[in-house]
Amino acid sequence: MHSRLLNQQLKLMAVVSSKLRKRMYTRKRNEYCIQTTVLSTPSTRVRLDVQYLDKNYISVYLDTEILSPYVLGTAKAYLNYRWVDEQTIEFSEELTGIVQFVRTTSLEDNLVKFKESPITADYVDTNNTQMLHIIQEILVVTFAARAYT
């Protein structure tokens, strides 16, 4: 089910990318779990406004091609990025195009395990935020599926 949701998110990104490619200015479109930024001028940094609980839940795309964090010795160094802080990524060189952040919160791994942890306000907040993020991601895919029909 998780891979089906990701595939539907990728289809939505392709539609959004084709529509945004027609505009040649920097613009952000935020949903709860997808952010699209059009880089009309060369840039090395992009700010992430989507909320997340773990950086591993964020995928970064450039013109629908998934990017990976800096990995030494890779052939396509220009596709790599690094986290500058909690809300900013930096590319290894200046890029133009459509950058998309897609949050995909883990369905299998609960960040808080109440059997192993005391019940505190912080743990309840983290658990509720994780569930809220998952629901937001499902709703985006549902609305995208309705748009296709």
Side-chain angles (χ1 to χ4, degrees):
M1 172 154 175
H2 190 63
S3 63
R4 189 177 83 201
L5 291 175
L6 184 58
N7 286 336
Q8 289 176 335
Q9 283 180 337
L10 290 173
K11 287 178 186 176
L12 173 64
M13 286 174 29
V15 170
V16 169
S17 293
S18 66
K19 289 180 181 178
L20 288 175
R21 197 176 304 281
K22 296 174 186 172
R23 297 184 173 95
M24 293 308 295
Y25 55 89
T26 300
R27 176 181 162 198
K28 289 185 180 181
R29 183 183 68 83
N30 291 308
E31 293 182 1
Y32 294 114
C33 59
I34 299 173
Q35 174 183 317
T36 302
T37 302
V38 179
L39 302 175
S40 58
T41 58
S43 301
T44 57
R45 289 187 177 198
V46 179
R47 181 178 168 83
L48 172 65
D49 296 322
V50 171
Q51 294 180 351
Y52 63 93
L53 291 169
D54 187 320
K55 288 179 183 174
N56 292 322
Y57 297 163
I58 300 295
S59 299
V60 182
Y61 295 82
L62 177 65
D63 297 326
T64 70
E65 184 172 353
I66 192 162
L67 308 184
S68 59
Y70 281 131
V71 178
L72 294 175
T74 57
K76 295 185 176 182
Y78 71 95
L79 292 179
N80 296 322
Y81 66 91
R82 70 179 183 93
W83 288 91
V84 176
D85 56 37
E86 297 300 312
Q87 294 181 299
T88 309
I89 66 158
E90 179 178 67
F91 298 109
S92 57
E93 66 181 49
E94 290 186 335
L95 299 173
T96 58
I98 298 171
V99 176
Q100 292 184 309
F101 296 98
V102 178
R103 184 189 71 214
T104 308
T105 305
S106 174
L107 296 169
E108 291 82 28
D109 184 32
N110 291 334
L111 294 176
V112 177
K113 295 173 178 48
F114 288 109
K115 284 185 178 181
E116 303 166 6
S117 308
I119 297 176
T120 65
D122 287 342
Y123 286 151
V124 172
D125 286 346
T126 298
N127 187 66
N128 289 346
T129 300
Q130 184 176 15
M131 294 302 112
L132 176 64
H133 287 179
I134 290 168
I135 291 166
Q136 289 169 342
E137 292 159 15
I138 291 169
L139 287 175
V140 165
V141 171
T142 301
F143 292 137
R146 286 183 186 166
Y148 290 125
T149 58

